[in-house]
Amino acid sequence: MENKTLFKVVNLQKYFPLKKKLFSKKQDFVHANETITLNIKEGETFGLVGESGSGKSTFGRTLLQLYTQTGGSILYYGTTLNEMAPRYMKKIINSIPKKFPEYDKKVEEFYKAKENFEKEEDEVKKSEHQVEMIEKRKDLEENYINMLRIAGGLLTSDNLEEVKNALLSYYDVLKEKADVNLKIKKIKEEAFVKGIKSPEELKNNDDLNLKSLEKELEIKEKSVKVERNKIEELRNSLRMKDNFENYESFKDDGIDLSELNNSEIRELRKDLQIIFQDPYGSLDTRMTVGNIIGEGVLGHKLFSSRKEEGYNEYIQAVMKECGLDPYFIHRYPHQFSGGQRQRIGIARALALRPKFIVCDEAVSALDVSIQSQVINLLQDMKEQFNLTYLFITHDLSVVKYISDRIGVMYLGVLVELSSSDKIFKNPIHPYTKALLEAIPRTDVPHGQTLQVIEGDIPSAVNPPKGCRFHTRCKYCMEICKNVIPEFKEIEKDHFVACFLTDVSEEEKEKAYRDNLKLKEKEN
């Protein structure tokens, strides 16, 4: 049985604006992440590799909304629209009658740009049409896609005011139910960290007020069911409409993280944690270990204060899980080694019992022997708490050991993605091959030439047109210099962004010889 998707990332972009030069009107940006599309599945370790400066850490932080994304969407399925009822739902529902009538026209413009791109033979003009197509797609994703996710086939109605009113009524009762659900969830989380784990203990504890909340939840659920039935009646009346099935296929109950307000994203912070790269700079030197680990616990009100009964015992239990002796609780970060400090960072992330953790170069600053201990700890924690990891690293030997699937990034874009075994046994993108061949080995046959990457990584401020890797690829063709390669599935669950997958070995060799001749002329 395939694991449920926890994150769906579609065409993610993250740009950082640079300070304008004196008298310059042009605004330059660092293109840290560009059109990244991938899924992260529940319970897996997704490895992300690439050279320094390829945008790996930026991607991890943007995924958690520590950085605001520039474009694209990040859908989170650890909770759903129906469970959370975020406020952006109401805003989007209200905008349907005014905004959605333009949708078909926008789709038509996108497909026209796509047709121009596909039939164009001149590489420069093809590139221009591709840029236009990307802009049209971005407009659709930013302004219309969430409407389709929420309303689906209802948008085929001739009376969008009726659709808006029906969805608003449904949203209002859904929000009331979600608020009660949130109270119950907080009580259960608080009870869990205090050692109250069984359903019987929860129900019989009068101080928790759980019984009355569950009765209130039953009443709210009945109201939701009534409104949901009305929505379904309206939906059924529209099933024969043109485009109904097309619009209905967009329906999605994932949470668009970029649309959440501060209080909503803060509520999800318990589920989404990060272990930072630097075990020295990521800990407050003025706080004790106990206070560092407990800061999030108190911030999310799992305990009311450090003096509350059970607080110290819980922090010490988390420390013990992470290989830290409980008597360290009153010590400061400067009194620990690098490996111990990284364990403190892991304990801080685990204290909130998250569903997902970004491990941002979590072992790169450690000695090899300490690395293995920390990696084994992460593996144990994953199995014990059913965690999902995004494991960011540039150490290929580590990522092979720990990852289920691996994504390869180059200059802000994803160039290859597959299972760990496939990436190492059958790398397809020239950049992936070069990375793997850079691993120190003693078994290289005599006379074998390695895939050497030429030159340094280009600037992300003005990245190369077309394929970002073409300036360093010895097989670069003319199309690579102007047109962005599609990130496509070339075999089951193996995705690559490279034009070389569509050409023969003879054409590759010709491109290689042409590049050699060009280089000789330049020299």
Side-chain angles (χ1 to χ4, degrees):
M1 183 178 173
E2 192 172 345
N3 287 3
K4 171 188 167 187
T5 296
L6 188 65
F7 282 95
K8 184 194 286 184
V9 181
V10 182
N11 296 320
L12 180 68
Q13 293 178 316
K14 176 58 189 173
Y15 298 167
F16 293 101
L18 294 174
K19 188 176 180 180
K20 287 185 181 180
K21 294 178 181 177
L22 193 62
F23 306 122
S24 174
K25 293 182 179 180
K26 184 184 176 185
Q27 175 67 69
D28 287 326
F29 294 89
V30 176
H31 295 237
N33 291 153
E34 191 82 77
T35 58
I36 295 175
T37 297
L38 57 84
N39 290 347
I40 297 176
K41 297 172 185 176
E42 202 172 70
E44 79 168 339
T45 298
F46 186 97
L48 197 59
V49 299
E51 291 171 288
S52 295
S54 60
K56 305 184 299 297
S57 295
T58 298
F59 174 74
R61 295 180 186 209
T62 306
L63 195 66
L64 299 184
Q65 297 297 299
L66 297 179
Y67 294 153
T68 305
Q69 66 202 54
T70 305
S73 65
I74 300 171
L75 295 184
Y76 173 63
Y77 295 90
T79 186
T80 64
L81 286 175
N82 289 336
E83 291 168 348
M84 189 177 187
R87 295 191 185 279
Y88 78 80
M89 277 182 75
K90 188 170 187 177
K91 180 182 174 184
I92 288 168
I93 291 167
N94 273 317
S95 69
I96 286 174
K98 185 177 179 181
K99 207 169 187 179
F100 193 75
E102 290 290 308
Y103 175 72
D104 287 335
K105 181 184 173 184
K106 299 284 186 180
V107 170
E108 190 178 327
E109 289 174 359
F110 166 73
Y111 279 110
K112 187 176 179 181
K114 186 179 180 184
E115 184 185 351
N116 291 337
F117 163 71
E118 289 172 346
K119 71 182 183 184
E120 184 62 64
E121 294 182 3
D122 182 272
E123 303 300 351
V124 176
K125 289 182 179 178
K126 193 177 183 75
S127 173
E128 291 171 359
H129 289 310
Q130 187 175 41
V131 170
E132 182 189 6
M133 183 181 74
I134 291 170
E135 287 301 315
K136 299 288 184 189
R137 183 184 65 199
K138 186 177 177 182
D139 178 40
L140 286 170
E141 288 172 348
E142 290 183 353
N143 294 306
Y144 300 97
I145 195 68
N146 274 328
M147 284 186 199
L148 288 158
R149 287 171 182 154
I150 292 166
L154 294 175
L155 296 170
T156 57
S157 173
D158 296 325
N159 188 349
L160 291 178
E161 277 291 338
E162 180 188 15
V163 170
K164 182 190 86 169
N165 293 333
L167 287 172
L168 281 177
S169 298
Y170 178 57
Y171 172 80
D172 288 340
V173 293
L174 202 64
K175 184 64 180 170
E176 291 173 5
K177 178 194 165 189
D179 290 343
V180 177
N181 239 333
L182 183 60
K183 291 176 185 176
I184 293 172
K185 181 186 174 187
K186 284 185 173 179
I187 287 172
K188 288 182 177 179
E189 286 171 347
E190 186 179 339
F192 179 81
V193 300
K194 291 177 182 177
I196 305 172
K197 297 180 182 178
S198 72
E200 290 76 19
E201 283 182 284
L202 283 169
K203 283 186 178 179
N204 295 330
N205 192 322
D206 295 331
D207 295 334
L208 297 177
N209 195 31
L210 197 60
K211 286 182 181 177
S212 61
L213 283 172
E214 287 185 338
K215 284 181 182 177
E216 188 180 350
L217 185 64
E218 286 178 19
I219 295 168
K220 300 296 182 189
E221 181 56 55
K222 287 177 183 176
S223 301
V224 168
K225 193 174 181 180
V226 169
E227 295 301 327
R228 189 187 295 128
N229 288 338
K230 290 179 184 176
I231 294 284
E232 286 307 307
E233 284 178 21
L234 180 57
R235 197 182 301 279
N236 289 331
S237 71
L238 298 168
R239 288 194 181 275
M240 301 309 293
K241 283 269 195 178
D242 292 341
N243 276 332
F244 178 85
E245 292 301 329
N246 178 29
Y247 290 176
E248 194 72 3
S249 68
F250 283 93
K251 276 201 75 188
D252 198 313
D253 64 355
I255 301 287
D256 187 341
L257 294 182
S258 67
E259 295 286 347
L260 299 181
N261 61 32
N262 289 339
S263 62
E264 289 168 341
I265 197 69
R266 181 177 173 78
E267 183 56 40
L268 288 182
R269 288 276 177 239
K270 291 196 298 293
D271 295 341
L272 310 173
Q273 290 292 302
I274 185 169
I275 301 167
F276 293 99
Q277 176 178 358
D278 184 3
Y280 298 88
S282 62
L283 304 179
D284 190 330
T285 56
R286 295 168 297 178
M287 294 175 71
T288 63
V289 169
N291 290 346
I292 288 169
I293 296 171
E295 189 175 17
V297 173
L298 295 175
H300 287 282
K301 297 182 171 52
L302 299 180
F303 285 92
S304 57
S305 73
R306 295 187 180 94
K307 295 180 181 178
E308 187 177 347
E309 185 182 352
Y311 170 79
N312 279 335
E313 289 76 9
Y314 177 69
I315 299 302
Q316 288 174 325
V318 173
M319 291 173 65
K320 194 173 180 181
E321 288 170 356
C322 296
L324 294 165
D325 290 326
Y327 66 82
F328 289 164
I329 191 169
H330 298 301
R331 291 190 180 179
Y332 290 86
H334 72 269
Q335 296 174 282
F336 295 90
S337 67
Q340 288 174 315
R341 291 186 196 191
Q342 199 60 289
R343 288 175 186 270
I344 296 168
I346 294 169
R348 175 173 59 186
L350 285 174
L352 290 166
R353 298 302 183 226
K355 296 177 182 177
F356 176 74
I357 299 178
V358 173
C359 303
D360 184 10
E361 304 270 15
V363 297
S364 65
L366 308 177
D367 293 336
V368 175
S369 59
I370 306 300
Q371 279 187 11
S372 62
Q373 293 175 22
V374 173
I375 288 168
N376 288 332
L377 171 62
L378 289 170
Q379 292 284 64
D380 292 341
M381 295 296 101
K382 178 187 173 185
E383 291 175 14
Q384 185 176 348
F385 298 110
N386 191 31
L387 294 169
T388 304
Y389 291 143
L390 172 64
F391 193 84
I392 298 168
T393 183
H394 56 255
D395 190 331
L396 292 160
S397 55
V398 169
V399 83
K400 181 181 181 182
Y401 170 73
I402 199 170
S403 302
D404 300 299
R405 290 189 301 146
I406 295 174
V408 181
M409 280 189 73
Y410 177 78
L411 199 59
V413 299
L414 204 62
V415 296
E416 189 161 358
L417 190 161
S418 191
S419 67
S420 180
D421 288 341
K422 279 187 180 179
I423 288 287
F424 278 84
K425 287 179 182 175
N426 182 32
I428 291 173
H429 197 282
Y431 179 65
T432 309
K433 290 179 180 179
L435 280 182
L436 296 181
E437 288 181 348
I439 300 173
R441 291 168 53 189
T442 58
D443 60 344
V444 179
H446 180 69
Q448 179 176 321
T449 305
L450 297 183
Q451 299 265 353
V452 179
I453 301 176
E454 299 175 347
D456 297 324
I457 190 168
S459 169
V461 178
N462 292 301
K465 281 181 66 179
C467 174
R468 297 234 168 141
F469 186 61
H470 85 260
T471 58
R472 304 172 74 191
C473 180
K474 65 181 185 180
Y475 298 112
C476 170
M477 300 180 293
E478 196 61 36
I479 191 172
C480 303
K481 298 174 183 177
N482 295 296
V483 182
I484 302 166
E486 181 187 356
F487 190 65
K488 61 183 180 181
E489 190 173 20
I490 58 164
E491 58 183 29
K492 185 168 172 54
D493 298 327
H494 195 157
F495 298 83
V496 182
C498 185
F499 291 114
L500 296 175
T501 59
D502 299 322
V503 302
S504 65
E505 288 299 318
E506 291 78 12
E507 289 174 292
K508 282 175 64 177
E509 281 303 312
K510 183 180 181 301
Y512 175 56
R513 289 194 299 272
D514 290 344
N515 286 328
L516 280 179
K517 288 177 184 176
L518 188 63
K519 193 166 291 182
E520 286 172 5
K521 283 183 181 179
E522 288 174 354
N523 292 335

